[in-house]
Amino acid sequence: MLICIDDGSTNIKMAWREDGQIKTSVTPTSFKREWTMSFSEDDKMANYEIDGEKYSFDERSADAIRTTESFYQYSTVNALAIHHALHQSGIPPQPVDIVVTLPLSEYLTADNKRNKDKIEKKKRNVMRAVNLDEGESFTIRSVSVVSESIPAGFNLLSDMEEEQSLLIVDVGGTSTDNSHVQARFTGITKTHCLPDVGGALITDSICAKMAANKKLSTWQAQKVYLNHKNKAFMEKFFPDETLRSAVLEAIRISEKTLINRVAESVERFSGYSHVLCVGGPAPVVAPKVLEITGVPKERFHVDENPQLSLVLGMLAWKQGDTHE
């Protein structure tokens, strides 16, 4: 079975074909050292062992290992997160072939060539055996690696006229990858990566504002952000009005910072005919990107579920037998 995996720093997105249909899943990356215990004998805990060390999935733990940095791509938590997502997908444990991603800054050299050393490093990390406690484990039979952002534009690029091109703005949890790609994948004109600009700017600001009161996990901070416009949720999560207002202000400021940083990066590009915004925070930056690029609205695209754009593009790309 071939499974395409966008193994981002905050969520693992998966896409595969099953009985002729495309299936997807999204699983958070939140792991702590040592196993977790349940008070119910019927609950199966997500406890794992890798290289003789014990880890568990725990989205609420304030001790969850930080993943919003480039080193995550080659880390133990990355291998754990991929296996955990496989177990959560509903796919029965079995040998699988997978496609994973690397940020453009890791996938390409300064000369826009594939960074073979980092690609092989990523493969070795993902191939490590991860054993599920009290359950059958997946075996990863083979790994191929693609760059982030570019596959997200597969369908658009395939239908473009020869003289057209696409600017892809991919805002992830940790980084922002921008790429100017020629129609029908005939070439890459330019790339630019912001390795420290992504949704973590927002979740980190929430955690920092809460630090003096309660230590939050990244998963909890994400939940706050996703629900920050829900008055009932915010009042329940933050009964203290002063703290609630401070958190909302932190979100407002960090969103503005994210928008400005992405905008500065987009201004480096020119000569494209179409624009695509993808990644979880894409809806936040899209209005500013549209303003800066000035393309007609019918040539500006933000997927309804931008979080899955990349992994669905990967699946379509790989099914076309495109080489790594």
Side-chain angles (χ1 to χ4, degrees), residues 157-178:
L157 287 160
S158 298
D159 294 335
M160 283 184 182
E161 300 296 330
E162 186 176 345
E163 71 278 4
Q164 295 178 330
S165 60
L166 178 68
L167 173 63
I168 305 171
V169 181
D170 182 3
V171 187
T174 301
S175 63
T176 294
D177 286 342
N178 299 329

Side-chain angles (χ1 to χ4, degrees), residues 37-108:
M37 183 197 76
S38 171
F39 288 106
S40 171
E41 294 183 0
D42 295 328
D43 288 342
K44 291 185 178 180
M45 304 309 299
N47 292 326
Y48 300 94
E49 186 170 344
I50 178 171
D51 296 340
E53 291 191 74
K54 294 179 172 62
Y55 295 84
S56 61
F57 175 79
D58 190 338
E59 67 268 36
R60 292 177 175 81
S61 174
D63 295 322
I65 301 167
R66 183 177 174 84
T67 58
T68 49
E69 51 192 14
S70 60
F71 177 75
Y72 160 77
Q73 295 292 332
Y74 317 102
S75 69
T76 294
V77 175
N78 177 258
L80 286 167
I82 289 171
H83 277 262
H84 179 66
L86 288 169
H87 282 288
Q88 296 298 306
S89 68
I91 300 171
Q94 60 187 282
V96 294
D97 304 301
I98 67 172
V99 186
V100 295
T101 60
L102 271 177
L104 279 173
S105 60
E106 299 292 302
Y107 186 82
L108 297 176

Side-chain angles (χ1 to χ4, degrees), residues 119-136:
I119 290 171
E120 289 303 315
K121 182 179 179 181
K122 174 76 172 190
K123 288 181 179 180
R124 289 194 301 270
N125 186 63
V126 175
M127 289 290 291
R128 295 159 70 187
V130 177
N131 297 313
L132 174 68
D133 181 47
E134 298 183 356
E136 188 178 352

Side-chain angles (χ1 to χ4, degrees), residues 50 67 124 143 150 173 181 183 211 236 279 309:
I50 178 171
T67 58
R124 289 194 301 270
V143 180
I150 295 174
V181 188
K236 183 176 180 180
S309 300

Side-chain angles (χ1 to χ4, degrees), residues 224-266:
V224 168
Y225 179 57
L226 290 173
N227 291 279
H228 76 279
K229 294 182 180 180
N230 183 328
K231 184 178 179 181
F233 173 88
M234 292 298 288
E235 288 179 350
K236 183 176 180 180
F237 200 96
F238 301 104
D240 183 290
E241 184 179 354
T242 301
L243 179 58
R244 183 167 66 250
S245 297
V247 169
L248 288 170
E249 178 65 8
I251 290 173
R252 186 191 69 79
I253 293 172
S254 57
E255 278 189 335
K256 187 174 181 179
T257 300
L258 176 63
I259 291 168
N260 290 340
R261 296 287 299 278
V262 171
E264 290 173 4
S265 179
V266 169

